[in-house]
Amino acid sequence: MSERIAKLKRKTKETDIEMSLQLDGTGKSTVNTGIGFFNHMLEGFAKHGFFDLEINCEGDIAVDCHHTVEDCGIVLGTGIKNALGDKKGIRRYGSCILPMDEVLVLCAIDLSGRPYLNFEAEFTTDRVGYLDTEMVREFFYAISYTAGMNLHIKVLNQGNNHHMIEAIFKSFARALDEATSVDPRIQDVLSTKGSL
């Protein structure tokens, strides 16, 4: 099987992003977005999904974090789609129910090629570190639509906002690792239509 790697550059008037993603990695990462807590979440995503991730983003964070977070989601979603190629042999579906102290989060993924996001989480603070909590949904929306991913994220047990966001990123990582994993029983794509 060829290496499943994507390298992207995306530059706008608001952000300048370079990213490298290897799906079959070891969980190593180098992340610099200018937003410390967001870096921490992306590093956790790489570690718990066994993805190798390098991302460098220079964004207009003097305005706010919106463009940086959303555009990183666009680039990461595009990278996932590009690295998957024709999707032959992948499991397609992945899910994870992940606990983090008092918090419990469900994430389920279908790499169907049809974008959809169902996001159920209620945060009780406007910000964790320098990350606006409302941007968590926007990040995963951008991923789901650029990757062509059916993505469901639901916080089953509420709690500390840091814990909720971290559990969301980790459960997403584990579900994506499962969905992108190659199953030797799948000779083509896992669809009666013959394509994903």
Side-chain angles (χ1 to χ4, degrees):
M1 185 180 69
S2 61
E3 287 188 319
R4 300 188 298 168
I5 298 174
K7 294 185 179 183
L8 289 92
K9 291 183 180 183
R10 183 179 190 271
K11 186 172 183 176
T12 70
K13 291 181 179 179
E14 298 163 342
T15 59
D16 186 353
I17 303 173
E18 287 191 36
M19 189 205 72
S20 172
L21 172 68
Q22 181 167 351
L23 295 178
D24 306 302
T26 59
K28 63 185 179 185
S29 62
T30 305
V31 179
N32 179 24
T33 66
I35 305 165
F37 184 68
F38 188 41
N39 292 349
H40 181 47
M41 294 302 98
L42 291 170
E43 289 161 358
F45 160 76
K47 175 66 75 175
H48 291 273
F50 300 97
F51 307 120
D52 290 346
L53 176 66
E54 292 181 21
I55 186 162
N56 187 66
C57 175
E58 294 182 16
D60 58 354
I61 54 176
V63 175
D64 66 10
C65 70
H66 189 111
H67 299 137
T68 292
V69 175
E70 183 177 45
D71 289 5
C72 283
I74 290 169
V75 170
L76 183 55
T78 304
I80 292 166
K81 181 178 181 178
N82 292 354
L84 282 171
D86 60 14
K87 301 181 185 176
K88 287 184 178 179
I90 66 164
R91 291 183 176 175
R92 175 180 169 178
Y93 297 99
S95 62
C96 177
I97 297 177
L98 188 133
M100 185 165 186
D101 296 341
E102 77 286 2
V103 168
L104 190 66
V105 171
L106 175 149
C107 179
I109 292 171
D110 176 10
L111 295 172
S112 62
R114 298 185 303 277
Y116 184 82
L117 175 67
N118 179 29
F119 187 90
E120 296 181 36
E122 293 182 15
F123 301 110
T124 57
T125 59
D126 293 333
R127 181 182 273 197
V128 176
Y130 290 98
L131 177 68
D132 295 346
T133 51
E134 70 175 1
M135 288 310 301
V136 177
R137 183 193 183 280
E138 297 304 314
F139 176 72
F140 287 104
Y141 178 88
I143 288 176
S144 66
Y145 273 76
T146 52
M149 176 190 301
N150 185 323
L151 175 59
H152 291 254
I153 294 171
K154 185 171 186 177
V155 177
L156 302 174
N157 283 357
Q158 301 280 122
N160 177 279
N161 288 267
H162 182 131
H163 291 168
M164 286 193 287
I165 296 169
E166 190 162 350
I168 286 169
F169 273 80
K170 289 177 178 177
S171 63
F172 173 70
R174 292 184 63 87
L176 185 64
D177 180 45
E178 181 180 352
T180 59
S181 293
V182 174
D183 187 326
R185 296 172 298 176
I186 304 168
Q187 297 301 307
D188 195 5
V189 293
L190 192 60
S191 172
T192 54
K193 293 183 293 188
S195 66
L196 288 174

